[in-house]
Amino acid sequence: MNRTTLSLIAGVAALAAVTGFATLDAPDTSGADTAKAAARLPVERTGLVCPAPSTSDLAETAYTSFTPVTKGAAAKGTAHLTAATEESTDATGKTDGKAGKTDGKAGKTDGKDGKTDDKAGKSKEKGGKTAAKPVLAPKAPGTPATGTTSGGTTPAYLGTAEGAYAPGWTLQETTEVAAGTGRGLLGVNCTAPDTEFWFPGASTAADRTDYVHLTNPDDSAAVVDIELYGPDGALQTTVGEGITVPPHASDPILLSTLTAEKQDAVTVHVNVRSGRVGAAVQALDDKLGGDWLAPAGDPAGSLVIPGIPKDAVSVRLVAFAPGNADADLKVQLASSTGLITPAGHETLHVKGKMSASVDLGDVTRGEAGSLVLTPTDDAVPVVAAVRVVRGKGDDQESAFIPATADVGTRASVADNRAKAATLSLTAPTGTAQVKVTSSAGSEGGATASQTYTLKPGTTQDVVPPAPQGLKGTYAITVEHVSGAPVYAARTLLSTDKDTPGFTIQTLPDDRGTVSVPEADENLDVLQR
């Protein structure tokens, strides 16, 4: 028996051991199509990154974790949120004590490796010292978990959910700042790490202080390029290329340090050469408060920007075409009664690799509204976002809404507060039906659900069904029941009378399930 035969026998034996049920029988060649449709199964692990919330000593930050109950998910699991700085240790095994302080209620992390002991909630560093507590500890899917921090030294956080907690896991970071640049309510959904992000709507103007936060959740360094594009094309940058983000670390980069050009409408492109990062832009204004600018959806020929508040006094649209081709977009507002075209702003011309902007004023005029951008001719991929201003005089505040994907099968948003949350639903292309479920409260209560039917081309603002006996905050889950694609956004108002503010988060598909194709063994591949 020669070496080739022995190798083939060994390979077949190894394959049989791995599959557990492979056989040496010849495959059925009768011609029958035995392929089965791919199954949708719950994901088993989800990772999210929360940026450092604020440098203000007046900042009060709430973190809210939520996992919707998912059919077929694992019976058990874990979820934890750990300060990024706690993952990195020096030669003595000690963590950065300044950034790791949080006001958590359960669980303590190990200073050696940053891991949370979910059973006992206790662990110690070398020398017997107790490590910092995790900011929150989820109890069960279907019920939100909350935690708080205060001051300007709160670090970025790395979140991991496994098993029962993984499908559809969402994290909301909400910060209230009483005074100063960027005062008001700042909110952001913690994002999954990725390799590319687009942020239309940033600025390097004198009255803006915009940071792009880069957080590396992995064990090796990430290398990132940051490109800035204004109305005339790429801005000249000095240190935007080859930025190294160390493992388990976060780096806030002030955009005005990357270029000397002062531009109101800037599109930020974050491109990761190696590794992965989470990215978000914190936009702080001297007079109009501040908020987070979340990554825009992938470049596409048609875009939807849902959930513009009906009392918006100013709406500014910024769009960018990543390719060399120009894009001509038809601008429409999906109002409560149907699609309308804003007078004087029927179209928007976007030159290739240039940011285009237009002030739409109080385009919603007291009605619920969402912007719908469609190509007037050939479709050219673009990204877009709007800056929304509400309020009067010194009480004006701003927030951002990026173009987003539809809710797909299901989408959730956490940290909803009694009488402070509004859900905006739009179906630009046809009639649709969705089911909206409000979870139990973080401190008590029972779920409540309601079904809504949306007419074609309309936007409907709804007050989420109130959880029975609500205590604490609750989560909203939107499930697509039938009909055309639905887009959604949630507006959250500040509950502090002395800190007027608002923030808006979109609800794209939570990607809680993944397609797993049915596979059969075919040992013919060993003979090819």
Side-chain angles (χ1 to χ4, degrees):
M1 187 176 294
N2 59 30
R3 292 179 179 269
T4 302
T5 304
L6 288 172
S7 298
L8 179 60
I9 293 173
V12 172
L15 180 61
V18 170
T19 61
F21 48 85
T23 69
L24 297 179
D25 295 336
D28 182 5
T29 57
S30 61
D33 184 5
T34 59
K36 298 181 180 179
R40 301 290 304 184
L41 298 178
V43 299
E44 297 179 351
R45 191 175 191 274
T46 300
L48 298 173
V49 173
C50 304
S54 178
T55 58
S56 172
D57 291 338
L58 303 177
E60 299 290 338
T61 301
Y63 293 89
T64 309
S65 163
F66 177 73
T67 299
V69 176
T70 303
K71 183 179 180 180
K76 298 180 179 181
T78 61
H80 59 268
L81 194 60
T82 306
T85 50
E86 291 179 14
E87 298 286 347
S88 299
T89 59
D90 61 20
T92 65
K94 296 182 179 179
T95 62
D96 183 347
K98 292 183 179 180
K101 295 180 180 178
T102 62
D103 180 18
K105 294 183 179 180
K108 297 182 180 180
T109 58
D110 186 333
K112 297 179 182 179
D113 56 16
K115 294 181 179 179
T116 300
D117 183 343
D118 295 300
K119 293 182 180 180
K122 297 180 180 180
S123 57
K124 294 183 178 180
E125 298 177 356
K126 287 184 177 181
K129 294 182 179 180
T130 302
K133 298 177 181 178
V135 69
L136 57 80
K139 299 177 182 178
T143 301
T146 62
T148 60
T149 66
S150 62
T153 60
T154 300
Y157 281 94
L158 309 178
T160 303
E162 297 180 340
Y165 292 93
W169 191 43
T170 183
L171 274 169
Q172 168 87 11
E173 176 185 290
T174 310
T175 304
E176 293 194 67
V177 180
T181 298
R183 57 160 171 67
L185 192 67
L186 295 80
V188 64
N189 282 327
C190 302
T191 59
D194 208 338
T195 57
E196 187 177 40
F197 303 87
W198 294 97
F199 299 97
S203 175
T204 58
D207 57 354
R208 283 274 290 273
T209 306
D210 286 16
Y211 294 86
V212 57
H213 286 244
L214 306 175
T215 306
N216 179 6
D218 296 327
D219 295 331
S220 57
V223 180
V224 180
D225 293 335
I226 299 177
E227 300 167 334
L228 307 179
Y229 296 91
D232 299 320
L235 304 184
Q236 186 67 38
T237 58
T238 53
V239 291
E241 294 185 358
I243 298 172
T244 299
V245 184
H248 305 293
S250 186
D251 191 3
I253 299 170
L254 182 60
L255 295 185
S256 60
T257 63
L258 300 181
T259 180
E261 298 187 46
K262 301 298 182 182
Q263 297 287 352
D264 260 343
V266 173
T267 298
V268 179
H269 181 214
V270 175
N271 183 52
V272 186
R273 290 192 204 175
S274 63
R276 305 177 306 160
V277 299
V281 170
Q282 190 177 45
L284 309 177
D285 192 282
D286 290 344
K287 297 180 179 180
L288 298 176
D291 208 345
W292 289 95
L293 173 56
D298 293 337
S302 298
L303 300 174
V304 177
I305 303 174
I308 300 174
K310 61 184 180 181
D311 59 351
V313 297
S314 173
V315 176
R316 187 181 194 190
L317 170 65
V318 179
F320 177 78
N324 294 318
D326 294 356
D328 287 294
L329 300 172
K330 183 178 182 180
V331 180
Q332 292 179 294
L333 182 75
S335 69
S336 58
T337 57
L339 289 170
I340 60 175
T341 301
H345 303 294
E346 294 81 4
T347 61
L348 178 64
H349 181 69
V350 186
K351 295 182 179 180
K353 295 189 180 300
M354 297 183 186
S355 295
S357 64
V358 58
D359 288 318
L360 301 175
D362 56 343
V363 64
T364 54
R365 296 185 182 276
E367 294 186 14
S370 301
L371 279 185
V372 180
L373 308 178
T374 54
T376 60
D377 194 1
D378 294 334
V380 174
V382 294
V383 293
V386 297
R387 183 190 190 186
V388 177
V389 178
R390 295 174 65 248
K392 297 179 181 180
D394 294 337
D395 290 335
Q396 284 192 329
E397 299 289 340
S398 58
F400 296 86
I401 314 173
T404 186
D406 62 87
V407 300
T409 302
R410 181 188 67 185
S412 298
V413 62
D415 195 7
N416 300 284
R417 307 166 188 183
K419 300 180 181 181
T422 300
L423 181 65
S424 184
L425 304 167
T426 184
T429 60
T431 301
Q433 193 174 65
V434 295
K435 179 182 178 182
V436 177
T437 300
S438 297
S439 75
S442 56
E443 299 174 14
T447 61
S449 298
Q450 189 168 339
T451 300
Y452 300 90
T453 298
L454 307 174
K455 295 180 180 180
T458 65
T459 296
Q460 185 175 347
D461 280 356
V462 302
V463 176
Q468 301 175 17
L470 173 64
K471 294 182 180 180
T473 66
Y474 65 98
I476 299 171
T477 298
V478 180
E479 297 175 273
H480 184 263
V481 176
S482 63
V486 174
Y487 299 78
R490 185 279 313 273
T491 298
L492 181 66
L493 303 181
S494 173
T495 55
D496 185 349
K497 295 181 181 179
D498 296 327
T499 310
F502 73 109
T503 184
I504 302 172
Q505 281 74 50
T506 59
L507 280 77
D509 191 301
D510 65 16
R511 300 182 182 180
T513 60
V514 63
S515 180
V516 180
E518 184 78 18
D520 291 326
E521 297 74 39
N522 183 359
L523 298 184
D524 280 357
V525 296
L526 299 176
Q527 302 173 357
R528 295 174 185 171

